[in-house]
Short mmCIF file of all heavy atoms in Angstrom, two decimals:
data_model
loop_
_atom_site.label_atom_id
_atom_site.label_comp_id
_atom_site.label_asym_id
_atom_site.label_seq_id
_atom_site.Cartn_x
_atom_site.Cartn_y
_atom_site.Cartn_z
N ALA A 1 1.64 -3.36 -5.88
CA ALA A 1 1.48 -2.64 -4.63
C ALA A 1 2.80 -2.14 -4.07
O ALA A 1 2.90 -1.02 -3.55
CB ALA A 1 0.78 -3.52 -3.61
N PHE A 2 3.84 -2.97 -4.15
CA PHE A 2 5.17 -2.54 -3.65
C PHE A 2 5.66 -1.33 -4.42
O PHE A 2 6.14 -0.35 -3.83
CB PHE A 2 6.16 -3.69 -3.78
CG PHE A 2 5.95 -4.82 -2.82
CD1 PHE A 2 5.15 -5.91 -3.16
CD2 PHE A 2 6.54 -4.81 -1.57
CE1 PHE A 2 4.97 -6.95 -2.27
CE2 PHE A 2 6.35 -5.84 -0.67
CZ PHE A 2 5.56 -6.93 -1.02
N ASP A 3 5.56 -1.38 -5.75
CA ASP A 3 6.01 -0.26 -6.58
C ASP A 3 5.16 0.98 -6.33
O ASP A 3 5.69 2.10 -6.31
CB ASP A 3 5.97 -0.65 -8.05
CG ASP A 3 6.94 -1.76 -8.41
OD1 ASP A 3 7.88 -2.00 -7.63
OD2 ASP A 3 6.76 -2.39 -9.47
N TYR A 4 3.87 0.77 -6.15
CA TYR A 4 2.97 1.91 -5.96
C TYR A 4 3.36 2.69 -4.72
O TYR A 4 3.44 3.92 -4.72
CB TYR A 4 1.54 1.45 -5.86
CG TYR A 4 0.53 2.57 -5.88
CD1 TYR A 4 0.04 3.10 -7.08
CD2 TYR A 4 0.09 3.15 -4.68
CE1 TYR A 4 -0.85 4.15 -7.08
CE2 TYR A 4 -0.81 4.21 -4.68
CZ TYR A 4 -1.28 4.70 -5.88
OH TYR A 4 -2.16 5.76 -5.90
N LEU A 5 3.63 1.97 -3.62
CA LEU A 5 4.03 2.63 -2.39
C LEU A 5 5.37 3.34 -2.55
O LEU A 5 5.57 4.46 -2.06
CB LEU A 5 4.11 1.62 -1.26
CG LEU A 5 2.79 1.23 -0.56
CD1 LEU A 5 3.06 0.16 0.48
CD2 LEU A 5 2.11 2.43 0.08
N ALA A 6 6.31 2.65 -3.21
CA ALA A 6 7.65 3.20 -3.32
C ALA A 6 7.73 4.41 -4.24
O ALA A 6 8.55 5.32 -4.02
CB ALA A 6 8.60 2.12 -3.82
N GLU A 7 6.86 4.46 -5.25
CA GLU A 7 6.97 5.49 -6.28
C GLU A 7 5.96 6.61 -6.15
O GLU A 7 6.16 7.71 -6.67
CB GLU A 7 6.82 4.82 -7.67
CG GLU A 7 7.91 3.80 -7.97
CD GLU A 7 7.64 3.02 -9.23
OE1 GLU A 7 6.63 3.32 -9.91
OE2 GLU A 7 8.42 2.10 -9.54
N SER A 8 4.85 6.36 -5.44
CA SER A 8 3.80 7.38 -5.34
C SER A 8 4.20 8.46 -4.35
O SER A 8 4.68 8.20 -3.25
CB SER A 8 2.49 6.73 -4.88
OG SER A 8 1.50 7.73 -4.67
N ALA A 9 4.00 9.69 -4.77
CA ALA A 9 4.29 10.84 -3.89
C ALA A 9 3.06 11.23 -3.07
O ALA A 9 3.16 12.05 -2.16
CB ALA A 9 4.74 12.01 -4.73
N GLU A 10 1.94 10.63 -3.39
CA GLU A 10 0.70 11.01 -2.73
C GLU A 10 0.65 10.43 -1.32
O GLU A 10 1.05 9.32 -1.06
CB GLU A 10 -0.51 10.50 -3.53
CG GLU A 10 -1.83 11.01 -3.01
CD GLU A 10 -2.97 10.63 -3.94
OE1 GLU A 10 -2.74 9.92 -4.93
OE2 GLU A 10 -4.11 11.04 -3.66
N GLY A 11 0.17 11.22 -0.39
CA GLY A 11 0.03 10.78 1.00
C GLY A 11 -1.30 11.26 1.55
O GLY A 11 -2.27 11.43 0.83
N GLY A 12 -1.32 11.48 2.84
CA GLY A 12 -2.52 12.00 3.46
C GLY A 12 -3.62 11.01 3.64
O GLY A 12 -4.80 11.39 3.72
N TYR A 13 -3.29 9.74 3.74
CA TYR A 13 -4.32 8.72 3.93
C TYR A 13 -4.65 8.56 5.41
O TYR A 13 -3.76 8.65 6.30
CB TYR A 13 -3.86 7.37 3.39
CG TYR A 13 -3.79 7.33 1.87
CD1 TYR A 13 -2.58 7.42 1.21
CD2 TYR A 13 -4.95 7.26 1.11
CE1 TYR A 13 -2.50 7.37 -0.18
CE2 TYR A 13 -4.89 7.23 -0.28
CZ TYR A 13 -3.67 7.30 -0.91
OH TYR A 13 -3.60 7.29 -2.28
N ASN A 14 -5.90 8.31 5.70
CA ASN A 14 -6.35 7.97 7.04
C ASN A 14 -6.25 6.48 7.32
O ASN A 14 -6.13 6.06 8.48
CB ASN A 14 -7.78 8.45 7.28
CG ASN A 14 -7.97 9.92 6.98
OD1 ASN A 14 -8.43 10.27 5.89
ND2 ASN A 14 -7.63 10.75 7.94
N TRP A 15 -6.34 5.69 6.25
CA TRP A 15 -6.29 4.25 6.36
C TRP A 15 -5.49 3.67 5.20
O TRP A 15 -5.68 4.10 4.06
CB TRP A 15 -7.69 3.64 6.32
CG TRP A 15 -8.57 4.00 7.48
CD1 TRP A 15 -9.36 5.09 7.59
CD2 TRP A 15 -8.75 3.23 8.65
NE1 TRP A 15 -10.03 5.08 8.77
CE2 TRP A 15 -9.68 3.94 9.47
CE3 TRP A 15 -8.24 2.02 9.14
CZ2 TRP A 15 -10.11 3.48 10.71
CZ3 TRP A 15 -8.66 1.57 10.36
CH2 TRP A 15 -9.57 2.29 11.15
N ILE A 16 -4.63 2.70 5.51
CA ILE A 16 -3.98 1.91 4.46
C ILE A 16 -4.16 0.43 4.80
O ILE A 16 -3.81 0.00 5.91
CB ILE A 16 -2.48 2.25 4.34
CG1 ILE A 16 -2.29 3.73 3.94
CG2 ILE A 16 -1.81 1.35 3.29
CD1 ILE A 16 -0.85 4.16 3.83
N ILE A 17 -4.72 -0.31 3.85
CA ILE A 17 -4.96 -1.74 4.05
C ILE A 17 -3.86 -2.52 3.33
O ILE A 17 -3.65 -2.32 2.11
CB ILE A 17 -6.34 -2.17 3.49
CG1 ILE A 17 -7.43 -1.19 3.93
CG2 ILE A 17 -6.67 -3.59 3.90
CD1 ILE A 17 -7.65 -1.09 5.40
N LEU A 18 -3.18 -3.39 4.05
CA LEU A 18 -2.13 -4.25 3.46
C LEU A 18 -2.58 -5.68 3.60
O LEU A 18 -2.51 -6.25 4.69
CB LEU A 18 -0.80 -4.02 4.18
CG LEU A 18 -0.28 -2.57 4.22
CD1 LEU A 18 0.99 -2.50 5.09
CD2 LEU A 18 0.01 -2.06 2.83
N ASP A 19 -3.03 -6.28 2.51
CA ASP A 19 -3.54 -7.66 2.56
C ASP A 19 -2.85 -8.49 1.48
O ASP A 19 -3.46 -8.94 0.50
CB ASP A 19 -5.05 -7.67 2.38
CG ASP A 19 -5.65 -9.05 2.60
OD1 ASP A 19 -4.98 -9.91 3.18
OD2 ASP A 19 -6.83 -9.25 2.19
N PRO A 20 -1.53 -8.73 1.64
CA PRO A 20 -0.78 -9.45 0.60
C PRO A 20 -1.15 -10.92 0.55
O PRO A 20 -1.69 -11.48 1.52
CB PRO A 20 0.68 -9.27 1.03
CG PRO A 20 0.61 -9.14 2.51
CD PRO A 20 -0.67 -8.39 2.78
N PRO A 21 -0.87 -11.59 -0.58
CA PRO A 21 -1.16 -13.02 -0.68
C PRO A 21 -0.27 -13.82 0.27
O PRO A 21 0.75 -13.35 0.74
CB PRO A 21 -0.84 -13.34 -2.14
CG PRO A 21 0.12 -12.28 -2.56
CD PRO A 21 -0.29 -11.04 -1.81
N ALA A 22 -0.71 -15.06 0.53
CA ALA A 22 0.04 -15.94 1.45
C ALA A 22 1.26 -16.50 0.72
O ALA A 22 1.15 -17.50 0.03
CB ALA A 22 -0.86 -17.05 1.95
N ILE A 23 2.39 -15.86 0.91
CA ILE A 23 3.60 -16.29 0.21
C ILE A 23 4.42 -17.28 1.05
O ILE A 23 5.47 -17.74 0.60
CB ILE A 23 4.46 -15.11 -0.20
CG1 ILE A 23 4.95 -14.32 1.03
CG2 ILE A 23 3.72 -14.21 -1.16
CD1 ILE A 23 5.92 -13.20 0.72
N ALA A 24 3.97 -17.57 2.25
CA ALA A 24 4.74 -18.46 3.14
C ALA A 24 3.89 -19.63 3.60
O ALA A 24 3.40 -19.67 4.71
CB ALA A 24 5.27 -17.70 4.35
#
């Protein structure tokens, strides 16, 4: 997911869901 956001040129989303695992 981190790489996808950093490398993807595509935009235009109405919604982005960020539900990362519990790393803490």
Side-chain angles (χ1 to χ4, degrees):
F2 288 92
D3 294 342
Y4 189 87
L5 279 176
E7 298 171 3
S8 175
E10 188 172 4
Y13 290 104
N14 305 98
W15 295 86
I16 299 179
I17 314 298
L18 305 174
D19 188 15
I23 61 175

